[in-house]
Amino acid sequence: MTKMLIMAARVLALVALALGAAWWFGYYELPIHLHMTFGGLFVLTLWALAFKVMPVSKGVAAGAFVLGLLLPVVGLAQLHMPIASAPWLLKLVHVAVALAAIGIAEAAAKRAKLVANA
């Protein structure tokens, strides 16, 4: 189950990052809701990994839940500004939080695998 979750998280994150990068570089004909859908599915997968690792690593689980909440909040903050005026710093923070969420998903999967093998 853990292997399936981490593989899904990797694919969803990669697609969401690619769609977000395309949007950032001016391909506005791509629907932003597609990026948001893949990002939302990634967050749900991240939370599933967090639930799986919660009994053994509460810190990783808590970090996953916090990053999973923070990621869409920062992303949605960009929608309330016109495209041209969304500050690049807010976009950069959104990418940084996404990369941190990917990292914590990997950490959660590694800890869950260690527990399963023990």
Side-chain angles (χ1 to χ4, degrees), residues 2-118:
T2 302
K3 188 171 185 172
M4 184 180 71
L5 284 172
I6 193 59
M7 291 306 292
R10 288 172 181 162
V11 169
L12 291 167
L14 181 65
V15 172
L17 281 171
L19 289 169
W23 182 262
W24 193 350
F25 290 117
Y27 294 97
Y28 300 125
E29 62 273 1
L30 290 171
I32 193 64
H33 296 297
L34 193 58
H35 164 74
M36 293 167 62
T37 300
F38 279 97
L41 290 172
F42 167 73
V43 168
L44 292 175
T45 307
L46 174 66
W47 285 345
L49 281 166
F51 275 119
K52 195 155 181 58
V53 79
M54 192 182 305
V56 286
S57 186
K58 293 187 183 354
V60 171
F65 284 119
V66 168
L67 287 172
L69 285 174
L70 189 60
L71 189 58
V73 168
V74 175
L76 288 172
Q78 298 174 54
L79 285 181
H80 296 294
M81 300 177 191
I83 298 295
S85 72
W88 63 270
L89 185 58
L90 187 60
K91 292 178 182 179
L92 196 60
V93 168
H94 183 58
V95 172
V97 171
L99 293 176
I102 293 167
I104 206 148
E106 292 289 339
K110 184 176 181 180
R111 283 185 172 75
K113 285 179 188 176
L114 288 174
V115 169
N117 291 337

